[in-house]
Short mmCIF file of all heavy atoms in Angstrom, two decimals:
data_model
loop_
_atom_site.label_atom_id
_atom_site.label_comp_id
_atom_site.label_asym_id
_atom_site.label_seq_id
_atom_site.Cartn_x
_atom_site.Cartn_y
_atom_site.Cartn_z
N MET X 252 5.04 10.25 5.11
CA MET X 252 4.93 8.92 4.51
C MET X 252 3.50 8.43 4.62
O MET X 252 2.87 8.60 5.66
CB MET X 252 5.88 7.94 5.23
CG MET X 252 5.75 6.50 4.76
SD MET X 252 6.60 5.31 5.81
CE MET X 252 8.29 5.58 5.34
N GLN X 253 3.03 7.83 3.52
CA GLN X 253 1.72 7.19 3.49
C GLN X 253 1.93 5.70 3.20
O GLN X 253 2.89 5.33 2.53
CB GLN X 253 0.84 7.79 2.40
CG GLN X 253 0.57 9.28 2.54
CD GLN X 253 -0.47 9.57 3.59
OE1 GLN X 253 -1.50 8.92 3.65
NE2 GLN X 253 -0.19 10.54 4.44
N VAL X 254 1.02 4.88 3.70
CA VAL X 254 1.11 3.46 3.42
C VAL X 254 -0.26 2.95 2.97
O VAL X 254 -1.30 3.43 3.44
CB VAL X 254 1.62 2.68 4.66
CG1 VAL X 254 0.67 2.79 5.83
CG2 VAL X 254 1.89 1.22 4.33
N SER X 255 -0.25 2.03 2.03
CA SER X 255 -1.49 1.39 1.59
C SER X 255 -1.23 -0.09 1.41
O SER X 255 -0.07 -0.53 1.33
CB SER X 255 -1.99 2.01 0.28
OG SER X 255 -1.04 1.83 -0.75
N VAL X 256 -2.29 -0.87 1.40
CA VAL X 256 -2.14 -2.32 1.24
C VAL X 256 -3.11 -2.81 0.18
O VAL X 256 -4.17 -2.23 -0.04
CB VAL X 256 -2.40 -3.07 2.57
CG1 VAL X 256 -1.32 -2.76 3.58
CG2 VAL X 256 -3.78 -2.77 3.14
N ASP X 257 -2.71 -3.88 -0.49
CA ASP X 257 -3.55 -4.54 -1.49
C ASP X 257 -3.95 -5.89 -0.90
O ASP X 257 -3.15 -6.84 -0.89
CB ASP X 257 -2.76 -4.72 -2.79
CG ASP X 257 -3.59 -5.37 -3.89
OD1 ASP X 257 -4.68 -5.92 -3.57
OD2 ASP X 257 -3.15 -5.34 -5.04
N ARG X 258 -5.17 -5.96 -0.39
CA ARG X 258 -5.61 -7.20 0.27
C ARG X 258 -5.68 -8.37 -0.72
O ARG X 258 -5.60 -9.53 -0.30
CB ARG X 258 -6.95 -6.98 0.95
CG ARG X 258 -6.81 -6.13 2.23
CD ARG X 258 -8.16 -5.68 2.77
NE ARG X 258 -9.13 -6.72 2.96
CZ ARG X 258 -9.26 -7.45 4.09
NH1 ARG X 258 -8.46 -7.22 5.11
NH2 ARG X 258 -10.18 -8.37 4.19
N ASP X 259 -5.80 -8.09 -2.01
CA ASP X 259 -5.83 -9.17 -3.00
C ASP X 259 -4.47 -9.85 -3.12
O ASP X 259 -4.37 -10.99 -3.58
CB ASP X 259 -6.24 -8.63 -4.37
CG ASP X 259 -7.71 -8.23 -4.41
OD1 ASP X 259 -8.49 -8.75 -3.59
OD2 ASP X 259 -8.06 -7.38 -5.24
N ARG X 260 -3.41 -9.15 -2.73
CA ARG X 260 -2.06 -9.74 -2.80
C ARG X 260 -1.62 -10.35 -1.47
O ARG X 260 -0.62 -11.06 -1.40
CB ARG X 260 -1.05 -8.68 -3.22
CG ARG X 260 -1.28 -8.12 -4.62
CD ARG X 260 -0.17 -7.18 -5.01
NE ARG X 260 1.10 -7.86 -5.10
CZ ARG X 260 1.65 -8.31 -6.23
NH1 ARG X 260 1.04 -8.10 -7.37
NH2 ARG X 260 2.81 -8.93 -6.23
N CYS X 261 -2.33 -10.02 -0.41
CA CYS X 261 -1.94 -10.48 0.93
C CYS X 261 -2.13 -11.99 1.06
O CYS X 261 -3.16 -12.52 0.64
CB CYS X 261 -2.79 -9.75 1.97
SG CYS X 261 -2.47 -10.28 3.67
N CYS X 262 -1.15 -12.66 1.66
CA CYS X 262 -1.24 -14.10 1.89
C CYS X 262 -1.29 -14.42 3.38
O CYS X 262 -1.00 -15.55 3.79
CB CYS X 262 -0.10 -14.83 1.19
SG CYS X 262 1.53 -14.32 1.73
N SER X 263 -1.62 -13.42 4.17
CA SER X 263 -1.90 -13.60 5.60
C SER X 263 -0.71 -14.11 6.41
O SER X 263 -0.89 -14.80 7.40
CB SER X 263 -3.08 -14.56 5.81
OG SER X 263 -4.17 -14.20 5.02
N SER X 264 0.49 -13.75 5.99
CA SER X 264 1.66 -14.25 6.70
C SER X 264 1.83 -13.62 8.08
O SER X 264 2.42 -14.21 8.98
CB SER X 264 2.92 -13.98 5.88
OG SER X 264 3.21 -12.60 5.88
N GLY X 265 1.34 -12.38 8.23
CA GLY X 265 1.46 -11.70 9.52
C GLY X 265 2.80 -11.03 9.76
O GLY X 265 3.04 -10.48 10.84
N MET X 266 3.68 -11.06 8.76
CA MET X 266 5.00 -10.45 8.93
C MET X 266 4.90 -8.96 9.23
O MET X 266 5.66 -8.42 10.03
CB MET X 266 5.83 -10.65 7.66
CG MET X 266 6.20 -12.08 7.37
SD MET X 266 7.58 -12.66 8.35
CE MET X 266 8.90 -11.72 7.60
N CYS X 267 3.98 -8.28 8.56
CA CYS X 267 3.85 -6.83 8.76
C CYS X 267 3.43 -6.51 10.18
O CYS X 267 3.90 -5.52 10.77
CB CYS X 267 2.86 -6.25 7.76
SG CYS X 267 1.24 -7.05 7.77
N VAL X 268 2.56 -7.32 10.74
CA VAL X 268 2.10 -7.09 12.11
C VAL X 268 3.25 -7.28 13.10
O VAL X 268 3.37 -6.54 14.07
CB VAL X 268 0.93 -8.04 12.45
CG1 VAL X 268 0.43 -7.82 13.86
CG2 VAL X 268 -0.22 -7.85 11.45
N MET X 269 4.11 -8.23 12.80
CA MET X 269 5.27 -8.44 13.69
C MET X 269 6.23 -7.26 13.60
O MET X 269 6.83 -6.87 14.61
CB MET X 269 5.99 -9.74 13.32
CG MET X 269 5.24 -10.98 13.73
SD MET X 269 6.23 -12.48 13.61
CE MET X 269 6.32 -12.66 11.84
N ASN X 270 6.39 -6.70 12.42
CA ASN X 270 7.38 -5.63 12.24
C ASN X 270 6.85 -4.25 12.61
O ASN X 270 7.63 -3.39 13.05
CB ASN X 270 7.86 -5.62 10.78
CG ASN X 270 8.80 -6.76 10.51
OD1 ASN X 270 9.84 -6.89 11.14
ND2 ASN X 270 8.42 -7.63 9.58
N ALA X 271 5.57 -4.01 12.43
CA ALA X 271 5.01 -2.68 12.72
C ALA X 271 3.57 -2.85 13.24
O ALA X 271 2.60 -2.52 12.55
CB ALA X 271 5.04 -1.80 11.46
N PRO X 272 3.43 -3.33 14.46
CA PRO X 272 2.09 -3.63 14.98
C PRO X 272 1.22 -2.40 15.20
O PRO X 272 -0.01 -2.53 15.29
CB PRO X 272 2.39 -4.34 16.32
CG PRO X 272 3.77 -3.92 16.69
CD PRO X 272 4.50 -3.72 15.39
N ALA X 273 1.80 -1.24 15.28
CA ALA X 273 0.98 -0.03 15.45
C ALA X 273 0.31 0.37 14.15
O ALA X 273 -0.69 1.09 14.15
CB ALA X 273 1.85 1.12 15.97
N VAL X 274 0.85 -0.10 13.04
CA VAL X 274 0.35 0.32 11.72
C VAL X 274 -0.49 -0.78 11.06
O VAL X 274 -1.50 -0.50 10.43
CB VAL X 274 1.53 0.69 10.79
CG1 VAL X 274 1.04 1.05 9.39
CG2 VAL X 274 2.33 1.84 11.42
N PHE X 275 -0.06 -2.04 11.23
CA PHE X 275 -0.73 -3.15 10.55
C PHE X 275 -1.47 -4.04 11.55
O PHE X 275 -1.04 -4.23 12.68
CB PHE X 275 0.29 -4.00 9.78
CG PHE X 275 1.07 -3.24 8.76
CD1 PHE X 275 2.34 -2.78 9.04
CD2 PHE X 275 0.53 -2.96 7.51
CE1 PHE X 275 3.08 -2.06 8.10
CE2 PHE X 275 1.25 -2.26 6.56
CZ PHE X 275 2.52 -1.80 6.86
N ASP X 276 -2.56 -4.63 11.05
CA ASP X 276 -3.32 -5.59 11.84
C ASP X 276 -3.82 -6.65 10.87
O ASP X 276 -3.69 -6.49 9.64
CB ASP X 276 -4.50 -4.89 12.52
CG ASP X 276 -5.15 -5.72 13.61
OD1 ASP X 276 -4.61 -6.79 13.96
OD2 ASP X 276 -6.21 -5.30 14.10
N GLN X 277 -4.34 -7.75 11.41
CA GLN X 277 -4.94 -8.78 10.57
C GLN X 277 -6.41 -8.92 10.92
O GLN X 277 -6.78 -8.92 12.10
CB GLN X 277 -4.22 -10.12 10.74
CG GLN X 277 -2.86 -10.15 10.05
CD GLN X 277 -2.15 -11.47 10.25
OE1 GLN X 277 -1.53 -11.67 11.28
NE2 GLN X 277 -2.24 -12.35 9.27
N ASP X 278 -7.23 -9.06 9.88
CA ASP X 278 -8.67 -9.20 10.07
C ASP X 278 -8.98 -10.48 10.83
O ASP X 278 -8.42 -11.54 10.53
CB ASP X 278 -9.34 -9.23 8.68
CG ASP X 278 -10.83 -9.06 8.75
OD1 ASP X 278 -11.50 -9.92 9.36
OD2 ASP X 278 -11.33 -8.06 8.21
N ASP X 279 -9.86 -10.37 11.82
CA ASP X 279 -10.22 -11.54 12.63
C ASP X 279 -10.90 -12.63 11.80
O ASP X 279 -10.82 -13.81 12.14
CB ASP X 279 -11.17 -11.13 13.76
CG ASP X 279 -10.46 -10.32 14.83
OD1 ASP X 279 -9.21 -10.43 14.93
OD2 ASP X 279 -11.14 -9.60 15.56
N ARG X 280 -11.56 -12.23 10.70
CA ARG X 280 -12.33 -13.21 9.93
C ARG X 280 -11.49 -13.95 8.90
O ARG X 280 -11.56 -15.17 8.77
CB ARG X 280 -13.51 -12.53 9.24
CG ARG X 280 -14.58 -12.05 10.21
CD ARG X 280 -15.55 -11.14 9.52
NE ARG X 280 -14.85 -9.93 9.03
CZ ARG X 280 -15.42 -8.97 8.34
NH1 ARG X 280 -16.67 -9.05 8.01
NH2 ARG X 280 -14.72 -7.92 7.96
N ASP X 281 -10.67 -13.21 8.14
CA ASP X 281 -9.93 -13.86 7.05
C ASP X 281 -8.41 -13.76 7.20
O ASP X 281 -7.68 -14.24 6.34
CB ASP X 281 -10.36 -13.29 5.69
CG ASP X 281 -10.21 -11.78 5.61
OD1 ASP X 281 -9.47 -11.21 6.45
OD2 ASP X 281 -10.82 -11.18 4.72
N SER X 282 -7.95 -13.13 8.25
CA SER X 282 -6.51 -12.98 8.54
C SER X 282 -5.77 -12.11 7.54
O SER X 282 -4.54 -12.04 7.58
CB SER X 282 -5.81 -14.35 8.64
OG SER X 282 -6.34 -15.09 9.72
N LEU X 283 -6.51 -11.47 6.62
CA LEU X 283 -5.84 -10.57 5.68
C LEU X 283 -5.49 -9.27 6.37
O LEU X 283 -6.09 -8.88 7.37
CB LEU X 283 -6.74 -10.30 4.47
CG LEU X 283 -7.07 -11.51 3.59
CD1 LEU X 283 -8.05 -11.11 2.48
CD2 LEU X 283 -5.81 -12.11 3.00
N VAL X 284 -4.50 -8.60 5.80
CA VAL X 284 -3.98 -7.37 6.41
C VAL X 284 -5.06 -6.29 6.48
O VAL X 284 -5.91 -6.16 5.60
CB VAL X 284 -2.75 -6.88 5.61
CG1 VAL X 284 -3.12 -6.48 4.20
CG2 VAL X 284 -2.05 -5.75 6.34
N ARG X 285 -4.99 -5.52 7.53
CA ARG X 285 -5.80 -4.31 7.70
C ARG X 285 -4.86 -3.22 8.20
O ARG X 285 -3.94 -3.50 8.95
CB ARG X 285 -6.90 -4.51 8.74
CG ARG X 285 -7.96 -5.50 8.36
CD ARG X 285 -8.92 -5.70 9.51
NE ARG X 285 -9.53 -4.43 9.90
CZ ARG X 285 -10.82 -4.14 9.74
NH1 ARG X 285 -11.61 -5.04 9.27
NH2 ARG X 285 -11.30 -2.99 10.10
N LEU X 286 -5.14 -2.00 7.80
CA LEU X 286 -4.34 -0.88 8.29
C LEU X 286 -4.97 -0.27 9.52
O LEU X 286 -6.18 -0.06 9.56
CB LEU X 286 -4.22 0.20 7.21
CG LEU X 286 -3.26 -0.09 6.06
CD1 LEU X 286 -3.36 1.02 5.01
CD2 LEU X 286 -1.82 -0.18 6.56
N ARG X 287 -4.15 0.01 10.50
CA ARG X 287 -4.63 0.76 11.67
C ARG X 287 -4.57 2.25 11.39
O ARG X 287 -5.28 3.03 12.00
CB ARG X 287 -3.76 0.45 12.89
CG ARG X 287 -3.86 -0.99 13.38
CD ARG X 287 -2.96 -1.17 14.60
NE ARG X 287 -2.96 -2.52 15.10
CZ ARG X 287 -3.86 -3.00 15.95
NH1 ARG X 287 -4.82 -2.22 16.40
NH2 ARG X 287 -3.79 -4.24 16.36
N GLN X 288 -3.66 2.65 10.51
CA GLN X 288 -3.49 4.05 10.14
C GLN X 288 -2.87 4.09 8.75
O GLN X 288 -2.18 3.16 8.34
CB GLN X 288 -2.58 4.76 11.15
CG GLN X 288 -1.21 4.14 11.26
CD GLN X 288 -0.40 4.64 12.44
OE1 GLN X 288 -0.75 4.41 13.58
NE2 GLN X 288 0.68 5.35 12.14
N THR X 289 -3.13 5.16 8.01
CA THR X 289 -2.54 5.29 6.67
C THR X 289 -1.40 6.29 6.64
O THR X 289 -0.54 6.25 5.76
CB THR X 289 -3.61 5.72 5.63
OG1 THR X 289 -4.22 6.93 6.07
CG2 THR X 289 -4.66 4.64 5.47
N THR X 290 -1.40 7.21 7.58
CA THR X 290 -0.29 8.15 7.69
C THR X 290 0.68 7.62 8.73
O THR X 290 0.30 7.29 9.85
CB THR X 290 -0.80 9.55 8.11
OG1 THR X 290 -1.70 10.02 7.12
CG2 THR X 290 0.36 10.52 8.25
N VAL X 291 1.94 7.53 8.32
CA VAL X 291 2.97 6.93 9.18
C VAL X 291 3.74 8.03 9.90
O VAL X 291 4.19 9.00 9.28
CB VAL X 291 3.93 6.07 8.33
CG1 VAL X 291 4.95 5.40 9.21
CG2 VAL X 291 3.13 5.04 7.53
N LEU X 292 3.89 7.86 11.18
CA LEU X 292 4.64 8.83 11.99
C LEU X 292 6.14 8.62 11.77
O LEU X 292 6.58 7.49 11.48
CB LEU X 292 4.30 8.65 13.47
CG LEU X 292 2.82 8.78 13.83
CD1 LEU X 292 2.60 8.46 15.31
CD2 LEU X 292 2.33 10.19 13.50
N PRO X 293 6.93 9.67 11.88
CA PRO X 293 8.38 9.54 11.62
C PRO X 293 9.05 8.41 12.40
O PRO X 293 9.91 7.71 11.86
CB PRO X 293 8.92 10.91 12.04
CG PRO X 293 7.78 11.85 11.79
CD PRO X 293 6.54 11.06 12.15
N GLU X 294 8.65 8.21 13.62
CA GLU X 294 9.28 7.15 14.42
C GLU X 294 8.89 5.75 13.94
O GLU X 294 9.46 4.75 14.40
CB GLU X 294 8.96 7.32 15.91
CG GLU X 294 7.49 7.27 16.26
CD GLU X 294 6.83 8.66 16.28
OE1 GLU X 294 7.29 9.56 15.54
OE2 GLU X 294 5.86 8.82 17.04
N GLN X 295 7.90 5.66 13.01
CA GLN X 295 7.47 4.37 12.48
C GLN X 295 8.04 4.10 11.09
O GLN X 295 7.83 3.02 10.54
CB GLN X 295 5.94 4.34 12.40
CG GLN X 295 5.25 4.50 13.75
CD GLN X 295 3.75 4.74 13.61
OE1 GLN X 295 3.31 5.40 12.67
NE2 GLN X 295 2.99 4.22 14.55
N PHE X 296 8.74 5.07 10.52
CA PHE X 296 9.20 4.94 9.13
C PHE X 296 10.02 3.66 8.91
O PHE X 296 9.76 2.90 7.98
CB PHE X 296 10.06 6.14 8.72
CG PHE X 296 9.30 7.41 8.42
CD1 PHE X 296 7.93 7.50 8.64
CD2 PHE X 296 9.97 8.51 7.95
CE1 PHE X 296 7.23 8.66 8.38
CE2 PHE X 296 9.28 9.69 7.67
CZ PHE X 296 7.91 9.77 7.88
N ASP X 297 11.01 3.43 9.75
CA ASP X 297 11.90 2.27 9.54
C ASP X 297 11.13 0.96 9.63
O ASP X 297 11.35 0.04 8.83
CB ASP X 297 13.05 2.28 10.55
CG ASP X 297 14.07 3.37 10.25
OD1 ASP X 297 14.03 3.95 9.15
OD2 ASP X 297 14.91 3.65 11.13
N ASP X 298 10.23 0.86 10.61
CA ASP X 298 9.46 -0.37 10.77
C ASP X 298 8.55 -0.62 9.58
O ASP X 298 8.40 -1.77 9.12
CB ASP X 298 8.61 -0.30 12.05
CG ASP X 298 9.45 -0.36 13.32
OD1 ASP X 298 10.63 -0.75 13.23
OD2 ASP X 298 8.91 -0.03 14.39
N VAL X 299 7.95 0.44 9.05
CA VAL X 299 7.04 0.28 7.90
C VAL X 299 7.82 -0.05 6.63
O VAL X 299 7.39 -0.90 5.84
CB VAL X 299 6.17 1.55 7.72
CG1 VAL X 299 5.40 1.51 6.40
CG2 VAL X 299 5.21 1.68 8.90
N ARG X 300 8.97 0.58 6.45
CA ARG X 300 9.81 0.23 5.29
C ARG X 300 10.22 -1.23 5.36
O ARG X 300 10.22 -1.94 4.35
CB ARG X 300 11.05 1.11 5.27
CG ARG X 300 10.79 2.55 4.86
CD ARG X 300 12.10 3.30 4.69
NE ARG X 300 11.90 4.72 4.50
CZ ARG X 300 12.25 5.66 5.39
NH1 ARG X 300 12.83 5.33 6.52
NH2 ARG X 300 12.03 6.93 5.14
N LEU X 301 10.59 -1.70 6.53
CA LEU X 301 10.99 -3.11 6.70
C LEU X 301 9.81 -4.03 6.42
O LEU X 301 9.96 -5.05 5.73
CB LEU X 301 11.53 -3.34 8.12
CG LEU X 301 12.01 -4.75 8.42
CD1 LEU X 301 13.20 -5.12 7.54
CD2 LEU X 301 12.38 -4.89 9.90
N ALA X 302 8.64 -3.68 6.92
CA ALA X 302 7.44 -4.49 6.69
C ALA X 302 7.16 -4.61 5.19
O ALA X 302 6.85 -5.69 4.69
CB ALA X 302 6.24 -3.89 7.41
N ALA X 303 7.28 -3.50 4.47
CA ALA X 303 7.03 -3.52 3.03
C ALA X 303 8.07 -4.39 2.32
O ALA X 303 7.74 -5.17 1.41
CB ALA X 303 7.05 -2.10 2.48
N GLU X 304 9.32 -4.26 2.74
CA GLU X 304 10.40 -5.00 2.11
C GLU X 304 10.24 -6.51 2.32
O GLU X 304 10.53 -7.31 1.42
CB GLU X 304 11.73 -4.53 2.71
CG GLU X 304 12.96 -5.09 2.06
CD GLU X 304 14.22 -4.52 2.70
OE1 GLU X 304 14.26 -3.32 3.00
OE2 GLU X 304 15.16 -5.30 2.93
N LEU X 305 9.77 -6.89 3.49
CA LEU X 305 9.69 -8.32 3.83
C LEU X 305 8.35 -8.97 3.51
O LEU X 305 8.22 -10.18 3.66
CB LEU X 305 9.99 -8.50 5.33
CG LEU X 305 11.39 -8.09 5.79
CD1 LEU X 305 11.54 -8.32 7.29
CD2 LEU X 305 12.47 -8.85 5.03
N CYS X 306 7.38 -8.18 3.07
CA CYS X 306 6.06 -8.74 2.77
C CYS X 306 6.17 -9.75 1.64
O CYS X 306 6.55 -9.40 0.52
CB CYS X 306 5.09 -7.62 2.38
SG CYS X 306 3.50 -8.23 1.78
N PRO X 307 5.82 -11.01 1.87
CA PRO X 307 5.97 -12.03 0.83
C PRO X 307 5.02 -11.84 -0.35
O PRO X 307 5.29 -12.35 -1.44
CB PRO X 307 5.67 -13.34 1.58
CG PRO X 307 4.87 -12.93 2.77
CD PRO X 307 5.33 -11.56 3.14
N GLY X 308 3.93 -11.11 -0.16
CA GLY X 308 2.99 -10.88 -1.25
C GLY X 308 3.20 -9.56 -1.96
O GLY X 308 2.46 -9.23 -2.88
N GLN X 309 4.19 -8.80 -1.52
CA GLN X 309 4.42 -7.44 -2.05
C GLN X 309 3.11 -6.66 -2.05
O GLN X 309 2.75 -5.99 -3.03
CB GLN X 309 5.05 -7.49 -3.45
CG GLN X 309 6.44 -8.09 -3.43
CD GLN X 309 7.14 -7.98 -4.77
OE1 GLN X 309 6.56 -8.18 -5.82
NE2 GLN X 309 8.42 -7.62 -4.71
N ALA X 310 2.41 -6.77 -0.94
CA ALA X 310 1.07 -6.17 -0.82
C ALA X 310 1.09 -4.78 -0.20
O ALA X 310 0.06 -4.12 -0.12
CB ALA X 310 0.20 -7.09 0.03
N ILE X 311 2.27 -4.32 0.24
CA ILE X 311 2.38 -3.05 0.95
C ILE X 311 3.06 -2.02 0.07
O ILE X 311 4.14 -2.27 -0.47
CB ILE X 311 3.17 -3.23 2.25
CG1 ILE X 311 2.48 -4.26 3.15
CG2 ILE X 311 3.34 -1.89 2.98
CD1 ILE X 311 3.32 -4.70 4.35
N THR X 312 2.42 -0.87 -0.09
CA THR X 312 3.01 0.22 -0.86
C THR X 312 3.27 1.41 0.06
O THR X 312 2.37 1.86 0.77
CB THR X 312 2.08 0.66 -2.01
OG1 THR X 312 1.90 -0.44 -2.90
CG2 THR X 312 2.67 1.84 -2.78
N VAL X 313 4.49 1.87 0.04
CA VAL X 313 4.90 3.02 0.84
C VAL X 313 5.07 4.20 -0.11
O VAL X 313 5.69 4.07 -1.16
CB VAL X 313 6.23 2.72 1.57
CG1 VAL X 313 6.76 3.97 2.25
CG2 VAL X 313 6.04 1.59 2.56
N THR X 314 4.48 5.33 0.24
CA THR X 314 4.61 6.54 -0.56
C THR X 314 5.37 7.59 0.24
O THR X 314 4.94 8.01 1.30
CB THR X 314 3.23 7.09 -0.96
OG1 THR X 314 2.52 6.08 -1.67
CG2 THR X 314 3.37 8.31 -1.85
N GLU X 315 6.54 7.94 -0.31
CA GLU X 315 7.36 8.95 0.35
C GLU X 315 7.56 10.09 -0.62
O GLU X 315 7.89 9.88 -1.78
CB GLU X 315 8.72 8.37 0.75
CG GLU X 315 8.58 7.20 1.72
CD GLU X 315 9.91 6.77 2.29
OE1 GLU X 315 10.54 7.57 2.98
OE2 GLU X 315 10.30 5.62 2.04
N ASP X 316 7.34 11.31 -0.17
CA ASP X 316 7.49 12.50 -1.01
C ASP X 316 6.68 12.38 -2.30
O ASP X 316 7.15 12.77 -3.37
CB ASP X 316 8.98 12.74 -1.35
CG ASP X 316 9.79 12.94 -0.10
OD1 ASP X 316 9.27 13.49 0.88
OD2 ASP X 316 10.97 12.54 -0.10
N GLY X 317 5.49 11.77 -2.20
CA GLY X 317 4.62 11.66 -3.35
C GLY X 317 4.97 10.57 -4.32
O GLY X 317 4.33 10.41 -5.35
N THR X 318 6.02 9.77 -4.03
CA THR X 318 6.44 8.70 -4.93
C THR X 318 6.13 7.36 -4.31
O THR X 318 6.65 7.01 -3.25
CB THR X 318 7.97 8.78 -5.18
OG1 THR X 318 8.28 10.09 -5.69
CG2 THR X 318 8.40 7.72 -6.18
N ALA X 319 5.25 6.59 -4.96
CA ALA X 319 4.87 5.27 -4.46
C ALA X 319 5.99 4.28 -4.71
O ALA X 319 6.59 4.26 -5.77
CB ALA X 319 3.59 4.80 -5.14
N GLN X 320 6.25 3.45 -3.67
CA GLN X 320 7.31 2.46 -3.77
C GLN X 320 6.74 1.11 -3.34
O GLN X 320 6.86 0.75 -2.17
CB GLN X 320 8.50 2.85 -2.89
CG GLN X 320 9.10 4.17 -3.30
CD GLN X 320 10.20 4.62 -2.34
OE1 GLN X 320 10.66 3.87 -1.51
NE2 GLN X 320 10.60 5.85 -2.48
N PRO X 321 6.13 0.36 -4.29
CA PRO X 321 5.58 -0.94 -3.94
C PRO X 321 6.66 -1.88 -3.41
O PRO X 321 7.73 -2.00 -4.02
CB PRO X 321 5.02 -1.46 -5.26
CG PRO X 321 4.90 -0.27 -6.14
CD PRO X 321 5.97 0.69 -5.69
N GLY X 322 6.37 -2.48 -2.29
CA GLY X 322 7.28 -3.47 -1.73
C GLY X 322 8.61 -2.92 -1.29
O GLY X 322 9.58 -3.66 -1.15
N ALA X 323 8.71 -1.61 -1.08
CA ALA X 323 9.99 -1.04 -0.61
C ALA X 323 9.73 0.06 0.38
O ALA X 323 8.64 0.51 0.55
CB ALA X 323 10.79 -0.48 -1.79
S1 SF4 G 1805 3.28 -9.19 5.42
FE1 SF4 G 1805 2.18 -8.89 3.48
S2 SF4 G 1805 1.28 -10.87 3.02
FE2 SF4 G 1805 1.84 -10.88 5.20
S3 SF4 G 1805 -0.03 -10.24 6.29
FE3 SF4 G 1805 1.22 -8.39 5.91
S4 SF4 G 1805 0.44 -7.58 3.94
FE4 SF4 G 1805 -0.29 -9.69 4.11
#
């Protein structure tokens, strides 16, 4: 699984950091999302899927088996 974020869509809610703090962070300057890693470990899959699903800006894209799934 790969994950990417669109900072232009991020509204700084911090939901992703709460759901998957090992993968997501917020920039100290503008509070927009930052990735700690782009490759997701198997034990993080559920947390990252949940973060993408709950992101209010639909700013998180999860790619599984080569298929991008924005907001899912
Ligand atoms: S949940 Fe979405 S909108 Fe909120 S900080 Fe993370 S990427 Fe940005």
Side-chain angles (χ1 to χ4, degrees):
M252 175 192 285
Q253 300 283 315
V254 63
S255 61
V256 293
D257 182 346
R258 286 169 53 88
D259 289 336
R260 296 186 64 98
C261 177
C262 59
S263 311
S264 71
M266 293 281 290
C267 54
V268 180
M269 287 192 288
N270 286 301
V274 177
F275 302 98
D276 194 8
Q277 285 179 278
D278 193 297
D279 289 338
R280 291 168 298 177
D281 56 18
S282 297
L283 296 176
V284 65
R285 294 175 58 113
L286 284 175
R287 293 181 182 274
Q288 59 192 66
T289 56
T290 299
V291 182
L292 303 175
E294 61 267 29
Q295 299 168 325
F296 284 6
D297 288 347
D298 290 345
V299 170
R300 287 187 189 112
L301 181 63
E304 187 178 319
L305 297 180
C306 172
Q309 295 188 319
I311 301 170
T312 298
V313 173
T314 303
E315 300 189 63
D316 300 327
T318 304
Q320 299 175 12

